[in-house]
Amino acid sequence: GGAVDGPGGDVERLRRVAVATLEANWEHDHTVPSRTLYPHQWSWDSAFMAIGWAHLRPEYAWRELESLFRAQWADGRVPHIVFNPRLPVGAYFPGPEFWASERAEAAPTIATSGLVQPPVHALAAWLAYRRAPSDPARAALRRLYPRLVAQQRYLATRRDVGGAGLACVVHPWESGLDNSPAWDAPMAAVAADEAVMRAYRRHDTAHAPAAHRPTDLDYARYVTIVASYRDGGYRDAELARRHPFLVECPLFNAAAGAAEHALAAIAPLVDADPGPHRERAARITEALVRRLYDPATGTFQPRDLRTGRLVPARTVLGLAPLILPDLPASQVTAVVAEACSARFGVAGRMSRPLPSYDRTAPDFEPLRYWRGPSWMNINWLVRRGLLGHGRADLATGLGRSMAELVATAGCHEYFHPDTGAGLGSAAFGWTAALLLDLLA
Ligand code: 2M8
């Protein structure tokens, strides 16, 4: 917090915009990412919302996390979407009828998706508690702790398809960066054509220009991958033999490592032993460095388990391991250099915001979702990483550029990485929540 100086009136105005957005997106026990584009509850969005609510109404932070974890599956997975049964059919595609979670053995009674998202929840719970410690907060932590542990166990066991100590994502949606260029190579191997989508109607392109969203071919593949997982009952056994998309992602695994660090901090508050969490955190960091760090490029790259190769595209995913407090010094130096390169442009005084993809790449697309635009959650994670590794100078530059984006464009979902113009939803939950945290 305290990242943004300058005239107090501006900060107050920004805070008011964030508060109004967050309040408007609150829905009985969770916060929707967007009333139009994403009207249900999303997993990692809820974690970011909780971080914001902790500054405003701490009890909402706990309601947010607890409502999400009520939908946790028996195998420990935390679904990436929890559907609001009060919404009409067609409020989002793909809706509950497509996911058919009720047919899966491990699923809860409430309708959910069968995928997961980056496990940033333990970190959110820890930050929410630290911001506003109280007896009710501690009681909520006590209830959440075993669920957070089960979430980690699911990822560390059933999702360790490569057997190397990292979790793999089975769908680009699980990474949170849906159409990132990082997934182009592994997605190219997924057999699908646009005709698959004729059976469905996309919902997103009714609310945002098609040029700012994934393509129809992307969607055809998204649907094909879900169908394959769903038709196998969302079981993870033998994924290597039968699943079309299996990737070890640096952001996802960095989040899992950061979760173990957060659980180690939470453990003493709930009379649990922090030791095993510290050990698991160390093992995840070690596996990340061994499996995903590429000395040739000096950054972290996803590994495609179907080919065994590292993905060549340089995306902002590669900077995420900075959030690990125990990242070795040589990787910290290399990743900070990558962040400060012309590709990403992080600096004490930034001329342009942090993009989601290498700005020097020939296929950099400043309007298209995760293929160029700037996103508040990724900025927040990278800023946190810089602070954790003693680079307050760079974190200050990044923090200012984050506040500037919202000051100019409002609480948009994403932003044009050159002009800062607002893109996607105009009242986006995590933009508001993380701005509140930044301003605190
Ligand atoms: C986006 O993903 C959903 C699918 O899960 C979509 O495109 O419909 C991503 O930006 C993801 O990271 C985010 O959690 C979700 C809701 O904000 O939207």
Side-chain angles (χ1 to χ4, degrees):
V4 186
D5 40 25
D10 292 358
V11 173
E12 239 344 277
R13 186 185 62 86
L14 262 187
R15 225 185 98 79
R16 276 204 304 276
V17 172
V19 169
T21 304
L22 210 50
E23 302 265 16
N25 287 17
W26 176 258
E27 179 64 47
H28 68 277
D29 62 2
H30 65 274
T31 316
V32 297
S34 149
R35 292 266 167 208
T36 54
L37 273 159
Y38 321 99
H40 300 283
Q41 181 174 27
W42 259 260
S43 167
W44 78 328
D45 298 65
S46 271
F48 295 127
M49 309 297 184
I51 291 168
W53 281 122
H55 297 282
L56 191 61
R57 294 175 191 268
E59 72 281 10
Y60 278 25
W62 303 110
R63 284 174 74 184
E64 180 89 49
L65 290 171
E66 292 205 80
S67 64
L68 176 69
F69 278 84
R70 265 200 298 280
Q72 185 169 34
W73 289 33
D75 58 13
R77 94 181 69 195
V78 176
H80 101 293
I81 306 172
V82 182
F83 290 104
N84 178 351
R86 303 173 207 197
L87 289 181
V89 178
Y92 176 78
F93 175 80
E97 58 295 331
F98 181 82
W99 294 94
S101 62
E102 73 281 356
R103 296 210 302 262
E105 222 176 287
T109 43
I110 182 162
T112 75
S113 79
L115 301 174
V116 297
Q117 271 188 329
V120 287
H121 314 80
L123 176 62
W126 168 238
L127 294 178
Y129 181 81
R130 215 186 45 182
R131 166 74 201 188
S134 68
D135 286 344
R138 184 138 166 198
L141 263 189
R142 250 183 223 288
R143 291 189 298 270
L144 278 169
Y145 176 78
R147 292 181 173 268
L148 292 164
V149 171
Q151 174 188 33
Q152 291 292 102
R153 193 180 307 120
Y154 169 75
L155 298 175
T157 55
R158 303 198 190 212
R159 286 304 189 85
D160 186 2
V161 175
L166 294 181
C168 80
V169 295
V170 303
H171 196 295
W173 283 338
E174 293 200 321
S175 74
L177 277 66
D178 305 2
N179 67 340
S180 169
W183 315 134
D184 289 0
M187 278 274 275
V190 178
D193 61 61
E194 285 164 70
V196 171
M197 280 305 291
R198 284 200 201 116
Y200 307 104
R201 183 126 148 238
R202 284 178 67 171
H203 167 82
D204 58 326
T205 39
H207 296 278
H212 302 181
R213 299 284 311 177
T215 64
D216 279 349
L217 181 55
D218 289 333
Y219 259 80
R221 290 183 167 130
Y222 296 156
V223 160
T224 301
I225 303 171
V226 172
S228 153
Y229 197 34
R230 177 196 63 201
D231 296 346
Y234 297 110
R235 275 184 297 273
D236 295 309
E238 293 183 63
L239 282 178
R241 188 179 49 74
R242 59 190 171 84
H243 197 71
F245 183 97
L246 295 165
V247 183
E248 291 170 353
C249 167
L251 187 153
F252 194 99
N253 283 286
E260 292 296 346
H261 285 282
L263 288 169
I266 291 170
L269 293 163
V270 301
D271 306 308
D273 179 5
H277 296 301
R278 289 202 200 102
E279 280 155 33
R280 286 198 281 270
R283 281 206 297 274
I284 292 172
T285 299
E286 189 268 325
L288 253 169
V289 171
R290 182 166 34 83
R291 291 277 287 181
L292 305 187
Y293 181 70
D294 179 8
T297 56
T299 187
F300 287 83
Q301 308 280 146
R303 185 178 293 276
D304 183 349
L305 291 183
R306 302 208 53 92
T307 62
R309 281 198 290 272
L310 291 181
V311 160
R314 290 187 172 205
T315 72
V316 79
L317 291 166
L319 310 183
L322 272 183
I323 62 172
L324 294 168
D326 54 352
L327 193 67
S330 55
Q331 273 77 35
V332 171
T333 306
V335 173
V336 169
E338 174 76 358
C340 295
S341 73
R343 285 181 285 280
F344 294 102
V346 171
R349 283 183 186 280
M350 292 174 62
S351 54
R352 289 179 297 184
L354 175 70
S356 46
Y357 181 39
D358 172 2
R359 352 175 131 260
T360 68
D363 56 347
F364 178 69
E365 289 188 80
L367 292 171
R368 203 184 286 280
Y369 217 36
W370 292 101
R371 304 183 69 89
S374 304
W375 290 75
M376 195 61 107
N377 64 334
I378 300 295
N379 275 263
W380 184 91
L381 288 166
V382 172
R383 178 172 174 275
R384 183 173 165 80
L386 290 168
L387 280 174
H389 291 286
R391 296 309 305 263
D393 54 331
L394 299 174
T396 302
L398 195 55
R400 276 210 198 97
S401 106
M402 291 162 75
E404 242 166 63
L405 281 176
V406 184
T408 313
C411 281
H412 271 269
E413 181 183 2
Y414 45 106
F415 302 87
H416 192 295
D418 300 323
T419 66
L423 301 167
S425 159
F428 196 66
W430 79 40
T431 302
L434 298 175
L435 180 71
L436 272 185
D437 186 62
L438 181 76
L439 298 177

